């Protein structure tokens, strides 16, 4: 990150131009979806998709919420996302702490296995994963989706957290041991508070990944009452495909929680990505 601020003026202009261009690529589709979600009919969307609505129809959101049973889908997505964050953060912090701070036989091998998980996506192992979930009697349950989602995030989470743990000063742990602290007390009361930016980064990545996931719920859930928003939106599209303004309203409802989560955790998220560890 410091290297960016050492760039020459022309290089900084080029970097800022690229960042601005990328921001526009992301913001323009979102802006168009919001504008068209406020229009009163499909005709207005087709005639002038890039213009502002004649009158702002905020009631489209309430109508989309009721017509698509979004309340049920929204609650399922919330349970899956929050559960995934809790499981991924709890187990990845413990695994990363042991791998980064405790020397034992096989330590490096375990870390390499986690790194292979970063390179090889879990989707390549769908068939054996389905057999495992079925054998645990977790098919068609939110708990099964939570565990699968958390497992898919573990390699990245361990990679991010272990980098932070490795840069912590060993004197902190030594002082805690002298005071009689047990290993779990060192992990829970001493070390975890020092890696809050990394935990916030892992939590945000896990939340966004679980919230937007489509394939895992499609494979492991059959009961429509358990569908998250991603599958619910697909159902909504099948029933109301011609009402594009309502579809845009549904898309905005689906994207809103991830935007709010990023805004709330953006400071810690950026700090977690750029800091790369706590200096001794």
């Amino acid at each position: 990150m410091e290297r960016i601020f050492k760039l020459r003026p022309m290089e900084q202009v080029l970097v800022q131009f690229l960042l601005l261009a990328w921001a526009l690529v992301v913001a323009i589709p979102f802006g168009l979806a919001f504008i068209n979600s406020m229009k009163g009919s499909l005709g207005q969307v087709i005639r002038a998709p890039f213009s502002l609505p004649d009158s702002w129809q905020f009631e489209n959101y309430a109508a989309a919420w009721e017509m698509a049973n979004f309340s049920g889908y929204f609650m399922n997505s919330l349970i899956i996302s929050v559960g995934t964050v809790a499981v991924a953060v709890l187990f990845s912090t413990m695994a990363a702490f042991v791998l980064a701070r405790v020397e034992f036989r096989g330590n490096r091998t375990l870390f390499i296995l986690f790194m292979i998980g970063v390179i090889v996506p879990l989707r390549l192992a769908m068939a054996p994963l389905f057999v495992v979930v079925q054998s645990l009697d977790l098919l068609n349950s939110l708990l099964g989706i939570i565990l699968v989602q958390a497992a898919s995030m573990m390699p990245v989470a361990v990679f991010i957290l272990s980098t932070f743990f490795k840069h912590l000063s060993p004197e902190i742990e030594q002082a805690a041991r002298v005071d009689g602290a047990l290993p779990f007390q060192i992990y829970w009361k001493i070390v975890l508070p020092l890696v809050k930016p990394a935990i916030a980064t892992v939590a945000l990545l896990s939340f966004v990944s679980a919230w937007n996931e489509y394939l895992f719920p499609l494979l492991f859930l059959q009961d429509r009452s358990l569908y998250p928003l991603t599958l619910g939106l697909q159902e909504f599209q099948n029933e109301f495909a011609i009402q594009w303004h309502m579809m845009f309203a549904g898309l905005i409802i689906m994207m809103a929680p991830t935007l709010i989560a990023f805004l709330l955790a953006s400071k810690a998220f950026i700090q977690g990505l750029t800091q790369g560890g706590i200096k001794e």
Side-chain angles (χ1 to χ4, degrees), residues 219-232:
L219 287 177
F220 299 125
L221 296 177
Q222 288 84 45
D223 189 347
R224 288 187 59 177
S225 65
L226 298 176
Y227 278 7
L229 268 175
T230 46
L231 295 185

Side-chain angles (χ1 to χ4, degrees), residues 3-205:
R3 176 75 180 89
I4 294 177
F5 296 105
K6 293 179 182 177
L7 295 175
R8 288 175 292 184
M10 283 303 297
E11 291 175 332
Q12 286 203 16
V13 170
L14 178 61
V15 170
Q16 291 174 5
F17 173 77
L18 292 174
L19 291 175
L20 180 62
W22 179 249
L24 289 175
V25 168
V26 175
I28 288 175
F30 180 79
L32 288 176
F34 178 72
I35 289 173
N36 285 298
S37 72
M38 291 291 183
K39 293 178 178 176
S41 64
L42 173 63
Q44 293 183 31
V45 177
I46 295 176
R47 283 196 304 271
F50 300 103
S51 65
L52 295 176
D54 299 332
S55 62
W56 296 83
Q57 304 291 325
F58 289 97
E59 56 268 26
N60 285 350
Y61 287 88
W65 183 274
E66 294 175 1
M67 291 165 63
N69 187 28
F70 268 20
S71 58
Y73 300 142
F74 191 92
M75 185 55 66
N76 291 334
S77 286
L78 194 62
I79 293 172
I80 292 172
S81 302
V82 173
T84 299
V85 170
V87 174
V89 168
L90 176 63
F91 288 99
S92 63
T93 51
M94 289 193 289
F97 173 72
V98 172
L99 290 173
R101 309 298 294 184
V102 180
E103 290 294 333
F104 61 93
R105 192 173 182 180
N107 181 310
R108 185 171 178 78
T109 304
L110 279 176
F111 186 75
I112 291 174
L113 289 175
F114 274 110
M115 293 307 97
I116 292 175
V118 176
I119 300 169
V120 181
L122 192 61
R123 287 168 175 76
L124 294 180
M126 276 298 179
L129 183 63
F130 186 88
V131 173
V132 171
V133 174
Q134 187 179 38
S135 64
L136 295 174
D137 198 21
L138 291 174
L139 277 181
N140 202 31
S141 72
L142 295 183
L143 178 60
I145 296 296
I146 290 172
L147 294 179
V148 170
Q149 294 273 70
S152 71
M153 282 302 302
M154 281 290 290
V156 174
V158 169
F159 173 71
I160 294 172
L161 290 163
S162 61
T163 303
F164 274 72
F165 283 131
K166 286 178 181 176
H167 285 87
L168 288 178
S169 171
E171 284 79 9
I172 297 174
E173 291 179 56
Q174 292 169 4
R177 287 197 184 93
V178 169
D179 291 338
L182 298 174
F184 186 78
Q185 291 175 315
I186 295 173
Y187 155 77
W188 187 258
K189 295 183 178 179
I190 307 297
V191 175
L192 277 190
L194 297 176
V195 295
K196 284 181 180 176
I199 293 175
T201 302
V202 169
L204 185 59
L205 291 175

Side-chain angles (χ1 to χ4, degrees), residues 26 30 74 77-78 80-82 85 149 200-201 203-213 229-230 233 250-267 269:
V26 175
F30 180 79
F74 191 92
S77 286
L78 194 62
I80 292 172
S81 302
V82 173
V85 170
Q149 294 273 70
T201 302
L204 185 59
L205 291 175
S206 301
F207 183 87
V208 172
S209 174
W211 188 270
N212 293 327
E213 181 60 42
L229 268 175
T230 46
L233 198 62
L251 286 171
I252 295 296
I253 291 173
M254 182 178 166
M255 288 188 288
T258 55
L259 291 175
I260 294 172
F262 179 77
L263 292 175
L264 292 176
S266 58
K267 185 177 179 181
F269 177 72

